[in-house]
Structure formats: structure tokens, C-alpha cells
Amino acid sequence: MTIRSKKRLSLMLAAAFALMPLPALMDAQATSARGGAEVQTVPTSTFTGVERAGVAINGVMKAAIDPIIVNHAYYVPFPDMAHILGYKDVAYSYRSKTHVATDGSVTVKVSVGNTSAQKGDERVNIDPPIHLKGKTYISLGSASAVFNTYTWFKAENGSIQVQLPARQYKVQKGDTLWEIAQAHHTTIGAMRVANNMKSDAVTPGQMLRVPPEYQTREMEPARQSSPAKENNAAATPVQSSSTAAKAQAIIATGKKYMGVPYKFGAKSSEAPRRMDCSSFTQYVFKQHGVTLPRDSRQQSSVGTRVAKSQLVAGDLVFFKYPERYSDGRVGHVGIYMGNGQMLHTVPKSGVTITNMSKSGYWTRNYLFARRVLR
């Protein structure tokens, strides 16, 4: 091969390599679909770095974050945003390019390139997350949908603002009014009234008011791993002597941790030093051979349903948490002790005993109960 030919070949190879995307940017482009969700790619040329931004929750600055701009929209790192919002337990699968995060009440999952995310056992429409510089980024609109917040960029001071709980919702691509109502555990009628709507038509980017708290209430889930027949059957109000004894043993174990500090979104590994409501119930029941899922939403689908009038010691009782969630979801769990009392953990006092039948707050936010002891 002549020197001229070698030089020409070198130039051709150099040009070919120049056209190949860098490995870091290849991660930003999803190539396969999972869970039935459409996968989209975003051209790497549309990424723009911007100045570090503070994140304020209800007007109070909490932390700082490094956003980027994609097609004129602000994107934020998913793990950083999750931590700021109290989702302390965050994991990432490099194989599936999926983030899983829990705040103790609900577990959310987002996957690179997917146009939907999982919030509990529900699906919400989002802009496809992207992976760049070793992190997964989601748009502010997607963060709103996944975390039940209203999140936006405030140009006046260059900050990310979070309204928690959300009182408004920005329609995402693919949304229908029915899906939005379902995600907020309310009705189409309530959505239409709250927004003076004459039809069910919605368009991406449209702002909708979330119906008032009393019109959002999650009904008892009908999904669990045990047979459907058992799931739909009402629990017997009478406990066997052995089951009653186990319930009392569980309660006695729980009482040992009276006053142990509460930590929102605590990791399971932190128990029993610090616990949130669901890691507390999970830990205490585990000491007696009963395995419960991690978050309160998952725990609310275990066992059999029981009427409030037939509660017995050892039953799990579930509540809304309107100060944090505007979608009426399960946000708190406690262990029923009998005589209207429950053993649980709350921010101010840690593990404590509360008479829920004499408290307007707990009575107003009570959802339902489940029996997991047999």
C-alpha cells in the first residue's frame, strides 16, 4: 500500500470514528421498550448545561441541583430530586436502566427512554427520561407526575420551585382526563367541576386544578399476591387463640421501641434505630415470622379486608396523608391494638400510641384496614 493510500485510509477511519456517538451519550438513547411503554430517543445535540439551581419546597430553600435543558425544557437528576423530596431509599439497575425509589408510603420506578413511569401499582405518563454523565434526568413535568408535586422553574431567581402537596397538575403527553382522575384517586366529574370543563378533552401542557382533598380518596386495592378469592373475602372478626397471642406478642415487641425517632423514607436497614411508619410495621412483624412489603401502599394490598367495626388487635390500619399527598393515596400505616388505639410512628414523637377513635385527624383520614395474621 502506498503512503498516499495509507493516508487516505487513515482519514476515512478518523471520519468514521468522529461520526460515532460517545459512550456516555449512547446511554442517553434508549433502544428497547419495557412494560408496554413507548421508548423515545433525544438527540444529544439538544442537551444544554445550565447554572446550578436551588430547590425550594413551598417557598423554603432545601438544597441545590444541577439541571440541564432538553428541547427548551428543564430536566433534573432523578436521584437528586428524589432525595430532596424524601425518597431516601433510591436504587438503580444498570441492566434495565431503571431507578426505584421509596419514601415509605409509595414506591416509584422510572426507566430511561420510557414514556410512562410506575407510581405504586399505577402508571403515569411522562417525558422519556434520559441518561447523561452517569445520571438519569427527568423533566420537571415528569417529576410532578411521579412525585405528586407541582414543580416548575422560576426564572426570576433561577430556582426550581416545588409545590407539595400538588394543588395543580400539568397534563402530560398521552394523558386522558380519566387517567388523571384515576392517578389522583378522584372522579372525572370532580375534575371537570374543579376546572370548569365542558368536555373531557385535555391537551399536553394544560394546567388543571386538583380537586379538594375531601374529594380524593384511595379505595382499598384489589391486587395482591394471594388468591383473588381470599383477597375479596372479608376477614372473620374472631381470632383464634394462637393468632390473638401472636398479635399481642407483635404489639409487645413494637412497644419496646416507644420513642425511637421517626425518619421519613428511612431505609429498611436503618431499623430499628430510625424508622418510618411502614418500616416500623415491617420490622416488628418480621420479628414474629410475618413478612410485609416495604412501603405502606404495598402493605395495604396484603392480607384480607376487614370492616372498621370488626377491627381486632394486630390488624393494619391505613390512612391518607393530605399534608404531603394531594392524590388521596395510602400515606400512613399503624398497628391496631384494640379499644380504638393504634401503635405507630410519627414525625414529632417517634414510635407512640394514639387513640385514633378520639382524634379528629385520624378519623377524618382513615381509609381502611387489612388483616395479615391468621
Side-chain angles (χ1 to χ4, degrees):
M1 181 179 292
T2 65
I3 295 177
R4 180 176 295 178
S5 298
K6 289 182 179 179
K7 186 174 182 180
R8 185 182 299 113
L9 178 61
S10 298
L11 290 172
M12 290 173 64
L13 290 173
F17 279 111
L19 293 174
M20 294 177 64
L22 296 175
L25 296 182
M26 288 175 68
D27 279 347
Q29 302 184 28
T31 57
S32 62
R34 297 185 313 281
E38 179 186 357
V39 174
Q40 298 181 356
T41 61
V42 179
T44 56
S45 60
T46 61
F47 298 115
T48 304
V50 294
E51 292 185 4
R52 190 167 176 81
V55 179
I57 300 178
N58 297 333
V60 179
M61 197 62 66
K62 296 292 185 179
I65 206 166
D66 293 308
I68 60 175
I69 295 178
V70 179
N71 292 334
H72 309 291
Y74 277 84
Y75 278 61
V76 291
F78 175 84
D80 297 350
M81 200 67 184
H83 277 290
I84 292 171
L85 293 173
Y87 291 73
K88 303 298 184 183
D89 199 348
V90 182
Y92 180 67
S93 168
Y94 287 93
R95 183 176 181 179
S96 63
K97 296 182 180 178
T98 299
H99 273 288
V100 179
T102 181
D103 64 354
S105 294
V106 70
T107 297
V108 299
K109 297 180 182 180
V110 300
S111 300
V112 174
N114 273 17
T115 57
S116 70
Q118 189 170 335
K119 185 177 72 172
D121 55 9
E122 300 162 341
R123 306 294 296 186
V124 292
N125 293 310
I126 61 171
D127 300 315
I130 61 175
H131 198 73
L132 182 67
K133 298 180 180 179
K135 284 189 177 182
T136 298
Y137 288 78
I138 60 173
S139 69
L140 297 185
S142 298
S144 298
V146 170
F147 296 121
N148 187 224
T149 63
Y150 174 57
T151 305
W152 75 99
F153 178 74
K154 187 176 181 179
E156 292 87 337
N157 60 8
S159 65
I160 306 295
Q161 297 289 320
V162 179
Q163 184 185 84
L164 179 69
R167 296 187 297 275
Q168 50 195 333
Y169 175 78
K170 185 176 182 179
V171 178
Q172 300 295 293
K173 183 179 179 181
D175 277 350
T176 65
L177 189 61
W178 182 85
E179 289 175 322
I180 296 169
Q182 289 290 301
H184 289 84
H185 304 116
T186 189
T187 65
I188 289 179
M191 290 295 303
R192 291 183 64 172
V193 170
N195 293 280
N196 297 315
M197 299 173 68
K198 295 182 179 180
S199 74
D200 295 348
V202 293
T203 57
Q206 180 180 353
M207 297 301 304
L208 297 176
R209 296 185 186 88
V210 175
E213 184 269 329
Y214 70 87
Q215 291 183 323
T216 59
R217 179 173 291 266
E218 182 175 35
M219 300 305 292
E220 187 172 10
R223 312 168 185 84
Q224 68 165 19
S225 57
S226 57
K229 182 177 180 181
E230 179 181 353
N231 181 66
N232 293 327
T236 173
V238 180
Q239 285 181 316
S240 67
S241 58
S242 60
T243 301
K246 177 179 279 192
Q248 291 303 322
I250 288 172
I251 291 170
T253 297
K255 285 182 177 179
K256 293 179 181 179
Y257 302 104
M258 293 287 287
V260 167
Y262 173 95
K263 180 182 177 181
F264 187 80
K267 295 182 179 180
S268 296
S269 59
E270 295 181 270
R273 294 174 292 109
R274 290 178 295 273
M275 298 175 281
D276 60 24
C277 64
S278 57
S279 64
F280 170 65
T281 53
Q282 182 188 52
Y283 182 80
V284 171
F285 273 76
K286 186 177 181 180
Q287 307 311 303
H288 297 272
V290 180
T291 301
L292 295 178
R294 169 60 186 94
D295 66 56
S296 58
R297 181 63 183 78
Q298 294 168 339
Q299 292 180 12
S300 73
S301 64
V302 176
T304 52
R305 57 189 172 88
V306 57
K308 191 175 184 180
S309 60
Q310 296 181 340
L311 286 170
V312 297
D315 289 341
L316 294 177
V317 284
F318 297 92
F319 303 84
K320 293 197 295 182
Y321 188 180
E323 294 86 354
R324 181 171 176 86
Y325 309 113
S326 60
D327 56 6
R329 74 176 71 170
V330 169
H332 187 74
V333 60
I335 305 170
Y336 189 69
M337 301 174 64
N339 299 317
Q341 294 186 315
M342 69 169 165
L343 179 65
H344 62 151
T345 181
V346 291
K348 289 184 178 181
S349 57
V351 178
T352 188
I353 295 173
T354 299
N355 192 321
M356 65 183 201
S357 63
K358 294 184 178 180
S359 165
Y361 177 86
W362 297 109
T363 298
R364 182 170 61 254
N365 291 301
Y366 178 85
L367 288 172
F368 49 80
R370 304 288 289 184
R371 185 163 298 164
V372 298
L373 299 179
R374 297 179 178 83

